[in-house]
Amino acid sequence: MAAPSCSALGVWVRGSWQRLGDLFTFVSKPLCSTAAASRPLDAQRLAERLRAQKQEQKTKKPVPTNPVQRRVQELLRFTEQLQRVHPNVLAKALSRGLIHQDKDLVVINKPYGLPVHGGPGVRLCISDVLPVLAKMLHGHKAEPLHLCHRLDKETTGVMVLAWEKDVAHQVQELFRTRQVTKKYWAITMRVPVPSAGVVDIPIIEKEVQGQERHHKMTLSPSYCMDNGKMVRVRTSRNAHLAVTQYRVLSSTLSSALLELQPVTGIKHQLRVHLSFGLDCPILGDHKYSDWNRLAPQKLSACILKKLGLRQSKARHIPLHLHACQLTLPALQAGKEELNLVCKPPRYFVHTLRRLGLKMPSRDQNGDKEATHSGAQ
């Protein structure tokens, strides 16, 4: 690491003297007071302030020089800030990423790191700002929007909202009966074999025993190998039918861009099928890259080199799973189906370029007449 320059040192010294001057002013004023009883309280405040400054200096991290590491840290700060902003600010940001709007539906581009529903540790979520977003789009007398489906906190892309509760229930029924076509893009470690196919393996939630006991979704296959023969096993009644179509859009020796089409909608289905079914975990999936432990994803030396990262920084890599396209059947007679396409976020595109993967053309993705949103 290069030694600090004289100018930087001068700035540090001036900043330090400024802080010392502030502390001197803070201390000197109460000491000049005639109220002797206030002195112990002032000393306590001074000690707390000094401890806080010392802790701040310990936790302050240097700005990385590597552009990839800077983008990773910027995305991390962005996701943390999303939980602290005012609901009006978040609603305004969502309105800028509007994909489609009509008298029945509003379709937004869900950003990374924003949960759909509240829960433990969640300060702000999409459902919290739906009343504000409705007023921004439809005036102050507008009723709150309604959620039609959900995406994981780390997943980006197309998300459908409805103006009326009845319409929301209608769309939810379309999802439940598998009449909605959903397509995702995912950047994976390794390349699946074969390059296109269907993963039809039930999924079940289980508790992982170990140093950190936790729950994960995992495979519950209907067949297993017994003395070289494939035999059918009894399926658990808690297992859920899960079917995922996939195809490789672009690949290198160490990574691939996949198009995924889930036929069913089980929790974490795509992540489980790719990691445990195809042995190709999604880049940035720190939960499902290893069954036995909760730890940052272990990346190959080739991927680390292309991304310009060290393994110690891999924990900051976001999940590269994007809901790129959604096709809704006509909600009313005489109307056409609604085809919605959302471009991937900038970090997704940057990773494609770094890994040497090609972005599919519009013709390849079949979205010539689709509605697009801008990249995040």
Side-chain angles (χ1 to χ4, degrees), residues 273-286:
H273 273 171
L274 288 180
S275 185
F276 302 147
L278 295 175
D279 192 29
C280 296
I282 300 174
L283 181 65
D285 192 348
H286 306 292

Side-chain angles (χ1 to χ4, degrees), residues 41-54:
L41 182 60
D42 293 332
Q44 182 180 357
R45 289 176 180 172
L46 174 60
E48 291 175 355
R49 184 168 179 177
L50 288 171
R51 281 197 295 268
Q53 287 186 347
K54 188 174 182 180

Side-chain angles (χ1 to χ4, degrees), residues 206-216 292 294:
K206 288 186 177 180
E207 183 178 7
V208 181
Q209 304 291 337
Q211 294 181 348
E212 299 178 83
R213 297 180 66 179
H214 58 283
H215 287 80
K216 285 182 181 178
N292 295 311
L294 287 173

Side-chain angles (χ1 to χ4, degrees), residues 135-155:
K135 287 179 172 58
M136 286 184 176
L137 298 176
H138 214 267
H140 291 289
K141 295 184 179 181
E143 294 294 324
L145 288 157
H146 302 275
L147 292 168
C148 296
H149 64 119
R150 62 177 299 168
L151 294 174
D152 289 345
K153 174 183 175 181
E154 297 87 0
T155 305

Side-chain angles (χ1 to χ4, degrees), residues 185-187 248-252 255-258 344 348-349 351-361 364:
W185 283 353
I187 299 177
V248 176
L249 300 178
S250 178
S251 65
T252 64
S255 59
L257 171 64
L258 269 59
F348 196 104
V349 177
T351 301
L352 286 176
R353 292 171 182 167
R354 282 273 177 171
L355 295 178
L357 298 170
K358 296 180 180 179
M359 177 76 76
S361 64
Q364 184 178 357

Side-chain angles (χ1 to χ4, degrees), residues 3 16 22 70 108 146 189 209 242 255 260 283 304 321 341:
S16 302
D22 293 342
R70 282 204 304 270
I108 61 173
H146 302 275
M189 297 168 53
Q209 304 291 337
S255 59
L260 308 170
L283 181 65
L304 287 172
L321 179 62
V341 173

Side-chain angles (χ1 to χ4, degrees), residues 25 48 53 64 76 84 99 112-113 117 143 155 164 193 205 212 226 242 248 272 307 315 327 330 356 359:
T25 305
E48 291 175 355
Q53 287 186 347
L76 184 64
R84 295 194 295 266
I99 299 174
Y112 174 84
H117 297 286
E143 294 294 324
T155 305
E164 302 291 339
V193 178
E205 186 172 20
E212 299 178 83
D226 185 13
V248 176
V272 172
L307 294 179
R315 65 184 182 276
T327 304
M359 177 76 76

Side-chain angles (χ1 to χ4, degrees), residues 96-138:
R96 292 196 196 100
L98 208 64
I99 299 174
H100 173 82
Q101 180 182 355
D102 58 32
K103 68 181 186 64
D104 294 320
L105 302 174
V106 171
V107 185
I108 61 173
N109 181 1
K110 180 191 170 299
Y112 174 84
L114 183 64
V116 176
H117 297 286
V122 176
R123 298 181 183 179
L124 192 61
C125 59
I126 288 180
S127 59
D128 291 338
V129 301
L130 292 184
V132 183
L133 180 61
K135 287 179 172 58
M136 286 184 176
L137 298 176
H138 214 267

